[in-house]
Amino acid sequence: MIGTVLCYVLLPVARLLRAFRDAFFTCRKNMLLAKSTTTHIDGLSAPISGKPVSEEQQALLQQWLEEGAGEVHASESASKPEKVPTISEAEWLEGPELLMTSLSDLNVSPQSGGQEQLPSEVQIETSPGLQEFVEVTGSLPAEEREALGDNAIWAAVRTQADPQMVEAAPLSTEVWIEDPAVLAWSPAQETDVGPTEGAVWPFQNAGQFQPLPLEIPYHEILWRDWEDLSAQACIPELSSEAGSLFEFRVMSYNILAQDLIEQSPHLYMHCHPDIMDWSYRFTNLLQEIQHWDPEILCLQEVQENHYWEQLEPTLTMMGFACIYKRRTGRKTDGCAICYKQSKFQLISASPVEYFRPGLDILNRDNVGLVLLLQPLLPESLGDKSVSPLCVANTHVLYNPRRGDIKLAQMALLLAEVDKTAKMADGNYCPIILCGDLNSVPDSPLYKFIRNGQLYYHGMPAWKVSGQEDFCQNPHQRKLLTPLWPSSLGITDSCQYVSLCQSKKSDRRKYSRDFLLQFRYCDVACERPADLILLEGVTDATPDRPAHWPKELTVVNNSDPDLCYSRYPGSIQHGLNLTSAYSHFLPERGCPEITTMPMGVGATVDYIFYSAKPVKSDNEECRRMYQDGALKLLGHLSLLSEDILWSANGLPNPFCSSDHLCLLASFGLQISDF
Ligand code: KL2
């Protein structure tokens, strides 16, 4: 009898309630992510949720921001990563629900009944349906209530906010429908920014969901401005010949492989499990990509099954062609480069595996990918031409102590870029190098890429990436000359030895004058045995001009810089790369952040591009560049560490990776022939 009651009555009721809980949690995510009618606020003084913020609310917001910001000055937090709020699974169920953030905490303590604690100005009502739900749950046994968690409280709270919500086109792709809750990337955001004309917004009309006025307005805190840099680009001809540029946007994005979350769950303790769910993150990431609408997309940490089952099919439907390279060994993620087929045609694709058996310096499973793309000009420009574009993408080893490996990995990638980008005339076509280099700005690895050379001999390996200071470690690994053995086949100038040698023998080793000397040497004048004898013709010996030397002069005119290091203990490359970002936010006076491991902000992701070095007398200084054939026209601003702290770090409900995406717009010179 008891069994029957349990099976047929209590279990279905419990399941129903669980379904309710899930539905309301989704509902709450919606509320958090719902786009307000305002697109941007300065210092949180602008209206949130389309309603003016009362003075008290503003004060609370300010207090909350200050409290958050006060904790997170870069220098402080760098030394105290443990400040990241960590919340265990159990706390999720007992305490306030996850997305409840510090601001909400000011108003609703976990112990409180919820809305009674809210300031009276905040208009909150309980919808009749939800009220009923609360009453039902209130009368449930304690265990049932615990199973439901405090989501119930949140689900029951509904504001009287402006009913105006985002109007959105219905989904055209099934994958997008998976979680219609995601409203993070609403069309309203594109108004100031511009680059998403004609984009389809892949979420359903969610007019029934209203944002809670006191929730973190993620989309506003994490607002990123589009910075137009075309005026700064030192290109006098740009304004007069604005039409002569082939424009495209490049995104670099480490999307955080799901398997890596599972391997290092301790890194994501500050995140609610629901926002770490792949289907939630996938929908959000896809919408973000679609919102910024890049023509070239360089992704890192792309899990192979997610790539083939979801990303590749969806991105193909969005007009991309995609190329993927998985990491070697047992790693399940890799790098992808996707390009809009309407804009580019693939000339070549070269995956690069950094793992080399038997070489300690290359014993890790990271990879890179190098494409050569031909930009497709519109037919109206039929008689014009544009140079191919080399696009490289990589995710370099994380281990902060093994800078030696990181440098060798970069050298392998640069050798492949050198090979791919070198044109018939020996010059390089424009290059874009994206990736997560797991190295911070102005670290030796960064300087190597940007300045084209690095003296490494004797350098502690941990110093190379600048991620952490391990100088206390008495057993420091030092970089010694040569950094990698010659058997690797890569020169100190980050070029393939094989290519150098063939080039040298083909074109560079002997000068024209040197080769001309052979016209008069005895061997050259001797008639080959199988050549018909025509007297006076095939047996004629040319007269040696009087000034020609009898003996051949051996001239060693091979380029010593081409293949061998100019300076022992150093490595070089000749690609002339500079960063699309400055790594500093002048208005905020603090560094740009692309990721926040354990609550510590850092830049490790980059978009480098080819530029022209400006000649300087002091070669030791940071190299100066000006735009060449490839012009940086703009980029999407990055955020500061304190801003990300106020959004509970990364990932959060709005940003579904532990990295921010980088986005830069370029113009490629179109020429007349
Ligand atoms: O920094 V990353 O995060 O570029 O987003 O790249 C690596 C790290 C990624 C692939 O190896 O996994 C992360 N502590 C923190 N993060 C780690 C660790 C670790 N010990 N190991 C790997 N990752």
Side-chain angles (χ1 to χ4, degrees):
M1 175 65 187
I2 293 170
T4 314
V5 169
L6 270 176
C7 285
Y8 293 103
V9 182
L10 289 180
L11 277 179
V13 166
R15 274 197 203 117
L16 190 69
L17 290 171
R18 215 166 286 137
F20 260 120
R21 184 195 62 176
D22 290 345
F24 284 120
F25 190 76
T26 305
C27 169
R28 185 168 147 64
K29 277 194 290 186
N30 266 307
M31 292 193 277
L32 278 168
L33 295 170
K35 179 78 189 79
S36 78
T37 50
T38 54
T39 55
H40 188 200
I41 54 167
D42 281 329
L44 284 175
S45 57
I48 299 174
S49 317
K51 293 183 92 177
V53 180
S54 74
E55 268 176 37
E56 185 169 340
Q57 279 174 277
Q58 268 194 41
L60 284 167
L61 281 163
Q62 200 55 47
Q63 184 188 342
W64 159 71
L65 250 193
E66 279 163 13
E67 279 179 6
E71 281 179 10
V72 291
H73 293 304
S75 55
E76 258 184 61
S77 55
S79 56
K80 296 172 192 163
E82 67 277 11
K83 275 186 183 165
V84 178
T86 55
I87 301 165
S88 70
E89 184 76 36
E91 284 174 86
W92 290 128
L93 294 174
E94 287 155 21
E97 175 226 296
L98 126 78
L99 296 173
M100 163 89 179
T101 54
S102 38
L103 173 62
S104 314
D105 284 337
L106 289 175
N107 303 299
V108 189
S109 69
Q111 294 76 26
S112 80
Q115 47 182 306
E116 319 74 316
Q117 296 282 318
L118 293 169
S120 55
E121 294 88 334
V122 184
Q123 301 275 311
I124 293 185
E125 65 165 18
T126 307
S127 76
L130 296 174
Q131 181 65 58
E132 196 183 314
F133 175 74
V134 172
E135 280 160 17
V136 170
T137 55
S139 59
L140 282 173
E143 319 85 73
E144 294 270 10
R145 276 210 307 274
E146 194 176 312
L148 282 164
D150 287 310
N151 297 334
I153 293 168
W154 285 102
V157 178
R158 195 164 151 259
T159 66
Q160 289 177 333
D162 189 340
Q164 184 188 348
M165 289 299 294
V166 177
E167 293 261 320
L171 291 181
S172 54
T173 311
E174 270 181 40
V175 194
W176 293 333
I177 310 177
E178 244 181 80
D179 187 351
V182 182
L183 294 172
W185 297 97
S186 78
Q189 289 194 8
E190 73 181 300
T191 49
D192 295 14
V193 202
T196 44
E197 270 171 32
V200 177
W201 291 98
F203 45 78
Q204 292 172 323
N205 187 340
Q208 69 271 33
F209 299 125
Q210 306 297 325
L212 279 170
L214 289 183
E215 296 299 350
I216 287 188
Y218 288 98
H219 56 283
E220 298 186 348
I221 293 172
L222 299 171
W223 178 261
R224 297 172 64 182
D225 284 313
W226 179 258
E227 287 175 25
D228 183 353
L229 303 170
S230 58
Q232 293 169 28
C234 45
I235 22 171
E237 70 269 38
L238 182 63
S239 48
S240 56
E241 296 177 27
S244 66
L245 289 178
F246 176 87
E247 293 187 22
F248 58 95
R249 282 179 301 278
V250 178
M251 177 181 276
S252 182
Y253 204 174
N254 177 328
I255 59 169
L256 179 56
Q258 201 66 23
D259 282 349
L260 292 177
I261 299 178
E262 275 147 38
Q263 279 162 30
S264 306
H266 61 281
L267 297 176
Y268 310 100
M269 298 285 274
H270 60 293
C271 306
H272 189 277
D274 281 16
I275 66 155
M276 301 309 285
D277 174 72
W278 169 246
S279 63
Y280 177 87
R281 294 200 309 115
F282 172 64
T283 314
N284 226 3
L285 292 166
L286 208 58
Q287 287 179 357
E288 194 176 358
I289 292 167
Q290 201 182 27
H291 175 78
W292 296 117
D293 197 25
E295 279 89 16
I296 295 177
L297 178 59
C298 292
L299 298 173
Q300 303 90 36
E301 290 199 24
V302 181
Q303 196 166 304
E304 191 176 34
N305 61 330
H306 293 156
Y307 175 78
W308 292 114
E309 288 161 22
Q310 290 166 292
L311 274 157
E312 197 272 343
T314 315
L315 290 169
T316 303
M317 276 198 285
M318 287 162 65
F320 286 100
C322 304
I323 309 225
Y324 178 71
K325 175 62 194 162
R326 183 184 146 163
R327 286 204 281 163
T328 48
R330 291 205 205 136
K331 306 294 186 312
T332 55
D333 66 296
C335 294
I337 304 182
C338 311
Y339 58 92
K340 280 275 168 76
Q341 283 177 299
S342 57
K343 280 273 211 172
F344 297 96
Q345 188 175 19
L346 184 68
I347 300 174
S348 70
S350 317
V352 188
E353 294 186 355
Y354 301 144
F355 180 83
R356 302 293 157 107
L359 280 189
D360 273 357
I361 196 152
L362 285 164
N363 64 0
R364 302 302 161 95
D365 290 314
N366 306 76
V367 293
L369 187 56
V370 183
L371 303 192
L372 192 62
L373 297 174
Q374 179 58 53
L376 298 173
L377 290 178
E379 279 183 12
S380 56
L381 297 173
D383 55 339
K384 312 232 177 206
S385 73
V386 62
S387 146
L389 178 74
C390 176
V391 182
N393 182 25
T394 189
H395 185 188
V396 165
L397 177 71
Y398 164 76
N399 190 337
R401 292 169 196 263
R402 296 307 303 270
D404 50 339
I405 299 181
K406 295 179 201 234
L407 269 183
Q409 293 187 341
M410 273 321 294
L412 284 184
L413 184 72
L414 293 175
E416 193 61 42
V417 171
D418 171 272
K419 176 183 158 189
T420 307
K422 195 164 266 169
M423 302 286 96
D425 62 2
N427 293 318
Y428 295 111
C429 71
I431 296 161
I432 289 182
L433 192 160
C434 295
D436 176 347
L437 304 187
N438 270 314
S439 304
V440 304
D442 283 326
S443 61
L445 186 136
Y446 175 91
K447 284 183 180 153
F448 168 58
I449 294 173
R450 210 186 158 282
N451 293 346
Q453 60 185 35
L454 175 73
Y455 183 77
Y456 63 80
H457 187 79
M459 184 182 287
W462 62 263
K463 263 198 176 171
V464 171
S465 65
Q467 286 155 293
E468 284 174 58
D469 190 340
F470 294 104
C471 62
Q472 302 303 332
N473 183 348
H475 309 292
Q476 289 180 15
R477 187 188 298 268
K478 290 227 163 86
L479 273 58
L480 299 175
T481 312
L483 201 48
W484 51 79
S486 58
S487 60
L488 181 60
I490 306 281
T491 71
D492 288 345
S493 296
C494 300
Q495 293 174 312
Y496 289 116
V497 173
S498 55
L499 291 183
C500 287
Q501 280 169 349
S502 68
K503 286 235 171 67
K504 266 162 88 177
S505 56
D506 291 351
R507 303 191 292 110
R508 287 175 182 262
K509 190 167 180 186
Y510 305 109
S511 70
R512 179 180 152 79
D513 287 344
F514 176 77
L515 292 170
L516 277 176
Q517 295 178 89
F518 289 96
R519 277 195 302 177
Y520 305 106
C521 73
D522 293 342
V523 177
C525 299
E526 206 172 277
R527 180 174 58 87
D530 53 350
L531 187 65
I532 300 168
L533 174 66
L534 296 170
E535 281 186 22
V537 180
T538 53
D539 63 346
T541 310
D543 292 333
R544 182 193 303 268
H547 64 278
W548 278 75
K550 245 188 147 133
E551 295 299 318
L552 291 181
T553 353
V554 178
V555 194
N556 182 5
N557 70 336
S558 62
D559 182 357
D561 292 346
L562 190 70
C563 281
Y564 303 101
S565 180
R566 270 173 289 186
Y567 315 104
S570 74
I571 47 173
Q572 308 87 45
H573 71 83
L575 301 178
N576 295 327
L577 299 169
T578 190
S579 168
Y581 284 86
S582 69
H583 320 306
F584 191 75
L585 298 164
E587 318 84 62
R588 300 188 70 86
C590 58
E592 291 173 342
I593 294 309
T594 69
T595 184
M596 255 185 107
M598 308 294 281
V600 183
T603 282
V604 297
D605 303 272
Y606 300 92
I607 298 178
F608 285 102
Y609 69 103
S610 304
K612 276 201 297 205
V614 177
K615 288 243 177 304
S616 148
D617 294 339
N618 189 354
E619 289 220 342
E620 296 298 303
C621 286
R622 182 183 166 84
R623 239 196 224 177
M624 301 297 287
Y625 284 98
Q626 65 183 36
D627 283 335
L630 188 61
K631 294 157 204 331
L632 177 65
L633 302 178
H635 68 207
L636 182 64
S637 65
L638 282 163
L639 299 171
S640 62
E641 191 184 56
D642 55 350
I643 290 278
L644 282 167
W645 264 82
S646 56
N648 202 29
L650 288 172
N652 57 49
F654 188 72
C655 301
S656 281
S657 172
D658 57 345
H659 291 245
L660 295 176
C661 68
L662 276 64
L663 183 80
S665 163
F666 293 97
L668 200 49
Q669 198 87 57
I670 297 175
S671 45
D672 287 330
F673 46 86

